[in-house]
Amino acid sequence: MSRNHINNSVNIDNQKIEPVVKVEKEKVNPCEGKIKTVEEYLNAIDSIYEKFWEEDQNDDTIKYSSKIWYRGVRAQDYKMLPSISRNDLNVNYETTFLSKFKSKAIPYLGQLPSYPFSEGLAGYWDWMFLMQHYGVPTRLMDWSEDALVALIFAINVDATPKELDKDPAVWCLNPVKLNEAFNFNNAYPLGYIPNVEEKQVYEMFGPEQSGFVNKKPCAVYGPLNSARIVAQKGVFTIFPYTDNMIEFDKLPDSSDYMEKLIICKDSREDITEQLRKYGINYAQLFPEIEYVSKEIFEEGY
């Protein structure tokens, strides 16, 4: 065997073999096509706003103000289902949870800002929203009218290690388009967003729904019965009272009223710092004394 130093090839049994050249693979940017800054996020919101409302803005028949609701999730593959439909639960637990919560919460009612509760149908929803507020599984799903509130929830650095390993996301919802599937009030065109205490909401989404068959959630305004809901500009969707709930984004027409923005997981801290410079932080969304220490810690020394 001889080595040819001129052409750097190898001769073996009179056969010329060229050296193997290692080609480095082009590095893939893990943030490609994902949101990395607050500016990119707000620009994406503007684009979605135009997509949702551009056609309707010149329609004289539209009577509703154009709006988008937002929901931040710590992992972009998080299932878009209400809490009562996760972790081996189902809607049949609602009555049990409601009964137990009513009996066990009585000693604390006088300390709650929402007390006393309304009577009748309104009282039912008061209890449901209070349960949601304190972490009892319900058919409610939280949204916000504030895009930055949703962003803060999405990039929350207190996420679990498993969540931190995934890209967070913000879901954008056109609540008017969603509600075109329902006729809550004959005095208004389809797309009306009712207060949850209106009779038609209970008839369609209450536990005693009167023959109304539906697989879609609806958008509603709920009682502002806590400072937390006010601070977070909270609004809600209610899922139907059914065993077989369908994930929000898996509904056949979901692309007509939903859009997902994926945020690069490696940009969590940078975006958090950007928001801090603007005077926005996670603790502000929870105007309760236990979060005062968290806000002090976030401000630094």
Side-chain angles (χ1 to χ4, degrees), residues 11-79:
N11 289 313
I12 299 178
D13 297 332
N14 297 322
Q15 293 184 5
K16 186 177 180 181
I17 301 177
E18 297 295 336
V20 177
V21 179
K22 292 184 178 180
V23 179
E24 291 188 8
K25 292 183 178 180
E26 186 177 348
K27 293 183 179 180
V28 178
N29 182 356
C31 288
E32 186 70 31
K34 303 171 186 176
I35 290 170
K36 302 176 287 297
T37 66
V38 175
E39 182 181 13
E40 289 180 0
Y41 175 70
L42 294 177
N43 287 337
I45 294 294
D46 285 341
S47 297
I48 291 175
Y49 184 93
E50 291 179 4
K51 172 187 173 182
F52 281 166
W53 288 101
E54 186 175 23
E55 293 181 2
D56 293 335
Q57 285 176 346
N58 298 321
D59 189 341
D60 293 335
T61 64
I62 298 298
K63 300 182 183 299
Y64 305 114
S65 60
S66 52
K67 54 177 66 68
I68 298 178
W69 291 1
Y70 309 91
R71 176 175 172 82
V73 291
R74 297 175 181 178
Q76 64 97 7
D77 60 354
Y78 192 81
K79 288 187 177 181

Coordinates of all heavy atoms in Angstrom, one line a residue, residues 11-79:
N11 N -4.1 4.3 -2.4 CA -4.1 3.2 -3.4 C -4.1 1.9 -2.7 O -3.1 1.6 -1.9 CB -2.9 3.3 -4.3 CG -3.0 4.5 -5.3 OD1 -4.1 4.7 -5.9 ND2 -1.9 5.3 -5.4
I12 N -5.1 1.1 -2.8 CA -5.1 -0.3 -2.3 C -5.3 -1.2 -3.4 O -6.4 -1.2 -4.1 CB -6.2 -0.4 -1.2 CG1 -6.0 0.6 -0.1 CG2 -6.3 -1.8 -0.7 CD1 -7.1 0.6 1.0
D13 N -4.3 -2.1 -3.6 CA -4.4 -3.1 -4.7 C -4.7 -2.4 -6.0 O -5.6 -2.8 -6.8 CB -5.5 -4.2 -4.4 CG -5.1 -5.0 -3.2 OD1 -3.9 -5.1 -2.9 OD2 -6.1 -5.5 -2.5
N14 N -4.0 -1.3 -6.2 CA -4.1 -0.5 -7.5 C -5.5 0.1 -7.7 O -5.8 0.5 -8.8 CB -3.8 -1.4 -8.7 CG -2.4 -1.9 -8.7 OD1 -1.4 -1.2 -8.3 ND2 -2.1 -3.1 -9.1
Q15 N -6.3 0.2 -6.6 CA -7.6 0.9 -6.7 C -7.5 2.2 -5.9 O -7.0 2.2 -4.8 CB -8.7 0.0 -6.1 CG -9.0 -1.3 -6.9 CD -10.1 -2.0 -6.3 OE1 -10.8 -1.6 -5.4 NE2 -10.4 -3.2 -6.9
K16 N -7.9 3.2 -6.6 CA -7.8 4.5 -6.0 C -9.0 4.8 -5.2 O -10.1 4.8 -5.7 CB -7.6 5.6 -7.1 CG -7.4 7.0 -6.6 CD -7.2 7.9 -7.8 CE -6.9 9.3 -7.3 NZ -6.8 10.3 -8.4
I17 N -8.8 5.1 -3.9 CA -10.0 5.4 -3.0 C -9.8 6.8 -2.5 O -8.8 7.2 -1.9 CB -10.0 4.4 -1.8 CG1 -10.2 3.0 -2.4 CG2 -11.1 4.7 -0.9 CD1 -10.1 1.9 -1.3
E18 N -10.8 7.6 -2.7 CA -10.8 9.0 -2.3 C -11.1 9.1 -0.8 O -11.8 8.3 -0.2 CB -11.8 9.9 -3.0 CG -11.5 10.0 -4.5 CD -10.2 10.7 -4.8 OE1 -9.8 11.5 -4.0 OE2 -9.7 10.5 -5.9
P19 N -10.5 10.0 -0.1 CA -10.7 10.1 1.4 C -12.2 10.6 1.6 O -12.8 11.2 0.8 CB -9.7 11.2 1.8 CG -9.5 12.0 0.6 CD -9.5 11.0 -0.5
V20 N -12.7 10.1 2.8 CA -14.1 10.5 3.2 C -14.0 11.9 3.7 O -13.2 12.2 4.7 CB -14.6 9.5 4.2 CG1 -16.0 10.0 4.7 CG2 -14.7 8.1 3.6
V21 N -14.8 12.7 3.2 CA -14.9 14.1 3.7 C -16.1 14.3 4.6 O -17.3 14.0 4.1 CB -15.0 15.1 2.5 CG1 -15.1 16.5 3.0 CG2 -13.8 14.9 1.6
K22 N -15.9 14.6 5.8 CA -17.0 14.8 6.7 C -17.7 16.2 6.5 O -17.0 17.2 6.4 CB -16.5 14.8 8.2 CG -16.1 13.4 8.6 CD -15.7 13.4 10.1 CE -15.3 12.0 10.5 NZ -14.9 12.0 11.9
V23 N -19.0 16.1 6.2 CA -19.8 17.3 6.0 C -20.6 17.6 7.2 O -21.4 16.8 7.6 CB -20.7 17.2 4.8 CG1 -21.5 18.5 4.6 CG2 -19.8 16.9 3.5
E24 N -20.4 18.7 7.8 CA -21.1 19.1 9.0 C -22.6 19.4 8.7 O -22.8 20.1 7.7 CB -20.5 20.2 9.8 CG -19.1 19.9 10.4 CD -18.6 21.0 11.2 OE1 -19.4 22.0 11.4 OE2 -17.5 21.0 11.7
K25 N -23.5 18.9 9.4 CA -24.9 19.2 9.2 C -25.2 20.6 9.6 O -24.6 21.1 10.6 CB -25.8 18.2 10.0 CG -25.8 16.8 9.5 CD -26.7 15.9 10.4 CE -26.7 14.5 9.9 NZ -27.7 13.7 10.7
E26 N -26.0 21.2 8.8 CA -26.4 22.6 9.1 C -27.2 22.6 10.4 O -28.1 21.9 10.5 CB -27.2 23.2 7.9 CG -27.5 24.7 8.1 CD -28.2 25.2 6.9 OE1 -28.3 24.5 5.9 OE2 -28.8 26.3 7.0
K27 N -26.8 23.5 11.3 CA -27.5 23.6 12.5 C -28.9 24.1 12.4 O -29.1 25.1 11.6 CB -26.7 24.4 13.5 CG -25.3 23.8 13.9 CD -24.6 24.7 15.0 CE -23.3 24.1 15.4 NZ -22.6 24.9 16.4
V28 N -29.8 23.5 13.0 CA -31.2 23.9 12.9 C -31.5 24.9 14.1 O -31.2 24.6 15.2 CB -32.2 22.7 13.0 CG1 -33.6 23.2 13.0 CG2 -31.9 21.7 11.9
N29 N -32.1 26.0 13.7 CA -32.4 27.0 14.7 C -33.7 26.5 15.4 O -34.8 26.5 14.8 CB -32.6 28.3 14.1 CG -32.9 29.4 15.1 OD1 -33.1 29.2 16.3 ND2 -33.1 30.7 14.6
P30 N -33.6 26.2 16.7 CA -34.8 25.7 17.4 C -35.9 26.7 17.5 O -37.1 26.4 17.8 CB -34.3 25.3 18.8 CG -33.1 26.1 19.0 CD -32.5 26.3 17.6
C31 N -35.6 28.0 17.3 CA -36.6 29.1 17.4 C -37.1 29.5 16.0 O -37.9 30.5 16.0 CB -36.0 30.3 18.1 SG -35.7 30.0 19.9
E32 N -36.7 28.8 15.0 CA -37.2 29.2 13.7 C -38.7 29.1 13.6 O -39.4 28.2 13.9 CB -36.6 28.2 12.6 CG -36.9 28.6 11.2 CD -36.1 29.8 10.8 OE1 -35.0 30.0 11.3 OE2 -36.6 30.6 9.9
G33 N -39.3 30.3 13.1 CA -40.7 30.3 12.9 C -41.5 30.5 14.2 O -42.8 30.5 14.2
K34 N -40.8 30.7 15.3 CA -41.5 30.9 16.6 C -41.2 32.3 17.2 O -40.3 32.9 16.7 CB -41.0 29.8 17.6 CG -41.2 28.4 17.1 CD -40.5 27.4 18.1 CE -40.5 26.0 17.5 NZ -39.8 25.0 18.3
I35 N -42.1 32.7 18.1 CA -42.0 34.0 18.7 C -40.8 34.1 19.7 O -40.7 33.2 20.6 CB -43.3 34.4 19.3 CG1 -44.3 34.6 18.2 CG2 -43.2 35.7 20.2 CD1 -45.7 34.8 18.6
K36 N -40.0 35.1 19.6 CA -38.8 35.2 20.4 C -38.8 36.5 21.2 O -38.0 36.6 22.2 CB -37.5 35.1 19.6 CG -37.4 33.8 18.8 CD -36.2 33.8 17.9 CE -36.4 34.7 16.7 NZ -37.5 34.3 15.8
T37 N -39.6 37.5 20.9 CA -39.6 38.8 21.6 C -41.1 39.3 21.7 O -42.0 38.8 21.0 CB -38.9 39.8 20.8 OG1 -39.6 40.1 19.5 CG2 -37.4 39.4 20.5
V38 N -41.2 40.2 22.6 CA -42.6 40.8 22.8 C -43.0 41.5 21.5 O -44.2 41.5 21.1 CB -42.5 41.9 24.0 CG1 -43.9 42.6 24.1 CG2 -42.2 41.2 25.3
E39 N -42.1 42.2 20.8 CA -42.4 42.8 19.6 C -43.0 41.9 18.5 O -44.0 42.1 17.9 CB -41.2 43.6 19.0 CG -41.5 44.3 17.7 CD -40.2 45.0 17.1 OE1 -39.1 44.7 17.6 OE2 -40.4 45.9 16.3
E40 N -42.3 40.7 18.4 CA -42.8 39.7 17.4 C -44.2 39.2 17.8 O -45.0 39.0 17.0 CB -41.8 38.5 17.4 CG -40.5 38.9 16.7 CD -39.5 37.7 16.7 OE1 -39.9 36.6 17.2 OE2 -38.4 37.8 16.2
Y41 N -44.4 39.1 19.1 CA -45.7 38.6 19.6 C -46.8 39.6 19.2 O -47.8 39.2 18.7 CB -45.6 38.4 21.1 CG -46.9 38.1 21.8 CD1 -47.5 36.8 21.6 CD2 -47.5 39.0 22.6 CE1 -48.7 36.5 22.3 CE2 -48.7 38.6 23.3 CZ -49.3 37.4 23.1 OH -50.4 37.1 23.7
L42 N -46.6 40.9 19.5 CA -47.6 41.9 19.2 C -47.8 42.0 17.7 O -49.0 42.2 17.3 CB -47.2 43.2 19.8 CG -47.1 43.3 21.4 CD1 -46.6 44.6 21.8 CD2 -48.4 42.9 22.0
N43 N -46.8 41.9 16.9 CA -47.0 41.9 15.5 C -47.8 40.7 15.0 O -48.7 40.8 14.1 CB -45.6 41.9 14.7 CG -44.9 43.2 14.9 OD1 -45.5 44.2 15.1 ND2 -43.5 43.1 14.7
A44 N -47.6 39.5 15.6 CA -48.4 38.4 15.3 C -49.8 38.6 15.7 O -50.8 38.1 14.9 CB -47.8 37.1 16.0
I45 N -50.1 39.2 16.8 CA -51.4 39.5 17.2 C -52.1 40.4 16.2 O -53.3 40.2 15.9 CB -51.4 40.2 18.6 CG1 -50.9 39.2 19.7 CG2 -52.8 40.7 19.0 CD1 -51.8 38.0 20.0
D46 N -51.4 41.4 15.7 CA -52.0 42.3 14.7 C -52.4 41.5 13.5 O -53.5 41.8 12.9 CB -51.0 43.4 14.3 CG -50.8 44.5 15.4 OD1 -51.7 44.6 16.3 OD2 -49.8 45.2 15.4
S47 N -51.6 40.6 13.1 CA -51.9 39.8 11.9 C -53.1 38.9 12.1 O -54.0 38.8 11.2 CB -50.7 38.9 11.5 OG -49.5 39.7 11.2
I48 N -53.2 38.4 13.3 CA -54.4 37.5 13.5 C -55.7 38.4 13.6 O -56.7 38.0 13.1 CB -54.2 36.7 14.9 CG1 -53.1 35.7 14.7 CG2 -55.5 36.1 15.3 CD1 -52.7 34.9 15.9
Y49 N -55.5 39.6 14.2 CA -56.7 40.5 14.3 C -57.2 40.8 12.9 O -58.4 40.8 12.6 CB -56.2 41.8 15.0 CG -57.4 42.8 15.2 CD1 -58.1 42.8 16.4 CD2 -57.7 43.7 14.2 CE1 -59.1 43.7 16.6 CE2 -58.7 44.6 14.4 CZ -59.4 44.6 15.6 OH -60.4 45.5 15.8
E50 N -56.3 41.1 11.9 CA -56.7 41.4 10.6 C -57.3 40.1 9.9 O -58.3 40.3 9.2 CB -55.5 41.8 9.7 CG -54.9 43.2 10.2 CD -53.7 43.6 9.4 OE1 -53.3 42.8 8.4 OE2 -53.1 44.6 9.6
K51 N -56.8 39.0 10.2 CA -57.4 37.7 9.6 C -58.8 37.5 10.1 O -59.7 37.2 9.4 CB -56.5 36.5 10.0 CG -57.1 35.2 9.6 CD -56.3 34.0 10.2 CE -57.0 32.7 9.9 NZ -56.3 31.5 10.5
F52 N -59.0 37.7 11.4 CA -60.3 37.5 12.1 C -61.4 38.5 11.7 O -62.5 38.2 11.6 CB -60.2 37.4 13.6 CG -59.6 36.1 14.1 CD1 -59.2 36.1 15.4 CD2 -59.6 35.0 13.4 CE1 -58.7 34.9 16.0 CE2 -59.1 33.8 13.9 CZ -58.7 33.7 15.2
W53 N -60.9 39.8 11.5 CA -61.9 40.8 11.4 C -61.9 41.7 10.1 O -62.7 42.5 9.9 CB -61.7 41.8 12.6 CG -62.2 41.2 13.9 CD1 -61.4 40.6 14.8 CD2 -63.5 41.0 14.3 NE1 -62.2 40.1 15.8 CE2 -63.5 40.4 15.6 CE3 -64.7 41.4 13.8 CZ2 -64.6 40.1 16.3 CZ3 -65.9 41.1 14.5 CH2 -65.8 40.4 15.7
E54 N -60.9 41.4 9.2 CA -60.8 42.3 8.1 C -62.0 42.3 7.2 O -62.5 43.3 6.7 CB -59.5 41.9 7.2 CG -59.3 42.8 6.1 CD -58.0 42.4 5.3 OE1 -57.6 41.2 5.4 OE2 -57.4 43.2 4.7
E55 N -62.6 41.1 7.0 CA -63.8 41.0 6.1 C -65.0 41.7 6.7 O -65.8 42.2 6.0 CB -64.1 39.5 5.8 CG -63.0 38.8 5.0 CD -63.4 37.4 4.7 OE1 -64.5 37.0 5.2 OE2 -62.6 36.7 4.1
D56 N -65.1 41.6 8.1 CA -66.3 42.1 8.7 C -66.2 43.6 9.0 O -67.2 44.3 9.3 CB -66.5 41.4 10.1 CG -66.8 40.0 9.8 OD1 -67.3 39.6 8.8 OD2 -66.5 39.2 10.7
Q57 N -65.0 44.2 8.9 CA -64.9 45.6 9.3 C -65.7 46.6 8.4 O -66.1 47.6 8.7 CB -63.4 46.0 9.3 CG -62.7 45.5 10.6 CD -61.3 45.8 10.6 OE1 -60.7 46.2 9.5 NE2 -60.6 45.6 11.7
N58 N -65.9 46.1 7.1 CA -66.6 47.0 6.2 C -68.1 46.5 6.0 O -68.8 47.0 5.1 CB -65.9 46.9 4.8 CG -64.5 47.5 4.9 OD1 -64.3 48.5 5.6 ND2 -63.6 46.9 4.2
D59 N -68.5 45.6 6.9 CA -69.9 45.1 6.8 C -70.8 45.9 7.7 O -70.6 45.9 8.9 CB -69.9 43.6 7.2 CG -71.2 43.0 6.9 OD1 -72.2 43.7 6.8 OD2 -71.3 41.7 6.9
D60 N -71.7 46.6 7.1 CA -72.6 47.5 7.9 C -73.5 46.7 8.9 O -74.1 47.3 9.8 CB -73.4 48.4 7.0 CG -72.5 49.4 6.3 OD1 -71.4 49.7 6.8 OD2 -73.0 49.9 5.2
T61 N -73.7 45.4 8.6 CA -74.6 44.7 9.4 C -74.0 44.2 10.7 O -74.6 43.8 11.6 CB -75.1 43.4 8.7 OG1 -74.0 42.5 8.4 CG2 -75.7 43.8 7.3
I62 N -72.6 44.3 10.8 CA -72.0 43.8 12.0 C -72.2 44.8 13.2 O -72.0 46.0 13.0 CB -70.5 43.7 11.8 CG1 -70.2 42.6 10.7 CG2 -69.7 43.3 13.1 CD1 -70.7 41.2 11.1
K63 N -72.7 44.3 14.3 CA -73.1 45.2 15.4 C -72.1 45.0 16.6 O -72.3 45.7 17.6 CB -74.5 45.0 15.8 CG -75.5 45.2 14.7 CD -76.9 45.0 15.2 CE -78.0 45.2 14.1 NZ -77.9 46.5 13.5
Y64 N -71.2 44.2 16.5 CA -70.3 43.9 17.6 C -68.9 44.5 17.4 O -68.4 44.5 16.3 CB -70.2 42.4 17.8 CG -71.5 41.7 18.0 CD1 -72.0 40.8 17.0 CD2 -72.4 42.0 19.1 CE1 -73.2 40.2 17.1 CE2 -73.6 41.4 19.2 CZ -74.0 40.5 18.2 OH -75.3 39.9 18.4
S65 N -68.3 44.9 18.5 CA -67.0 45.5 18.4 C -66.0 44.3 18.1 O -66.2 43.2 18.7 CB -66.6 46.2 19.7 OG -66.6 45.3 20.8
S66 N -65.0 44.5 17.3 CA -64.1 43.5 17.0 C -63.2 43.2 18.2 O -62.7 44.1 18.8 CB -63.2 43.9 15.8 OG -62.6 45.2 16.0
K67 N -63.0 42.0 18.5 CA -62.3 41.6 19.7 C -61.6 40.2 19.6 O -62.0 39.4 18.8 CB -63.2 41.6 21.0 CG -64.4 40.7 20.8 CD -65.2 40.7 22.1 CE -65.8 42.0 22.4 NZ -66.9 42.4 21.5
I68 N -60.5 40.0 20.3 CA -59.9 38.7 20.4 C -59.7 38.4 21.9 O -59.4 39.3 22.7 CB -58.5 38.7 19.7 CG1 -58.7 39.0 18.2 CG2 -57.8 37.4 19.9 CD1 -57.4 39.1 17.5
W69 N -59.9 37.1 22.2 CA -59.6 36.6 23.6 C -58.4 35.8 23.5 O -58.1 35.2 22.5 CB -60.8 35.8 24.1 CG -62.0 36.7 24.4 CD1 -62.2 38.0 24.3 CD2 -63.2 36.2 25.0 NE1 -63.4 38.4 24.7 CE2 -64.1 37.3 25.1 CE3 -63.7 34.9 25.3 CZ2 -65.4 37.2 25.6 CZ3 -65.0 34.8 25.8 CH2 -65.8 35.9 26.0
Y70 N -57.6 35.7 24.6 CA -56.3 35.1 24.6 C -56.2 34.1 25.8 O -56.7 34.3 26.9 CB -55.2 36.1 24.7 CG -55.3 37.2 23.7 CD1 -56.0 38.4 24.0 CD2 -54.7 37.1 22.5 CE1 -56.1 39.4 23.1 CE2 -54.8 38.2 21.5 CZ -55.6 39.3 21.9 OH -55.7 40.3 21.0
R71 N -55.5 33.0 25.5 CA -55.3 32.0 26.5 C -53.8 31.5 26.4 O -53.4 30.9 25.4 CB -56.2 30.8 26.4 CG -56.0 29.7 27.4 CD -57.0 28.6 27.3 NE -56.7 27.4 28.1 CZ -57.0 27.3 29.4 NH1 -57.5 28.3 30.0 NH2 -56.6 26.2 30.0
G72 N -53.0 31.7 27.5 CA -51.6 31.3 27.5 C -51.5 29.9 28.1 O -52.1 29.6 29.1
V73 N -50.7 29.0 27.4 CA -50.5 27.7 28.0 C -49.0 27.4 28.0 O -48.2 27.9 27.2 CB -51.2 26.6 27.1 CG1 -52.7 26.7 27.3 CG2 -50.8 26.7 25.6
R74 N -48.5 26.7 29.1 CA -47.1 26.6 29.3 C -46.4 25.6 28.3 O -45.2 25.6 28.2 CB -46.9 26.1 30.7 CG -47.3 27.1 31.8 CD -47.2 26.5 33.2 NE -47.6 27.4 34.2 CZ -47.6 27.1 35.5 NH1 -47.2 26.0 35.9 NH2 -48.0 28.0 36.4
A75 N -47.2 24.7 27.7 CA -46.7 23.8 26.7 C -47.7 23.8 25.5 O -48.9 23.7 25.7 CB -46.6 22.4 27.3
Q76 N -47.1 24.0 24.3 CA -48.0 24.2 23.2 C -48.8 22.9 22.8 O -49.8 23.0 22.1 CB -47.2 24.6 22.0 CG -46.1 23.6 21.5 CD -46.6 22.8 20.3 OE1 -47.7 23.0 19.8 NE2 -45.9 21.7 19.9
D77 N -48.5 21.7 23.4 CA -49.3 20.6 23.1 C -50.4 20.3 24.2 O -51.0 19.3 24.3 CB -48.4 19.3 22.9 CG -47.6 19.0 24.2 OD1 -47.6 19.8 25.1 OD2 -46.9 18.0 24.2
Y78 N -50.5 21.3 25.1 CA -51.5 21.2 26.2 C -52.9 21.1 25.6 O -53.3 21.8 24.7 CB -51.4 22.5 27.0 CG -52.2 22.5 28.3 CD1 -51.6 21.9 29.4 CD2 -53.4 23.1 28.4 CE1 -52.3 21.9 30.6 CE2 -54.1 23.1 29.6 CZ -53.5 22.5 30.7 OH -54.2 22.4 31.9
K79 N -53.7 20.1 26.0 CA -55.0 19.8 25.5 C -56.0 20.9 25.8 O -56.1 21.4 26.9 CB -55.5 18.5 26.0 CG -54.8 17.3 25.4 CD -55.5 16.0 25.8 CE -54.9 14.8 25.1 NZ -55.6 13.5 25.5

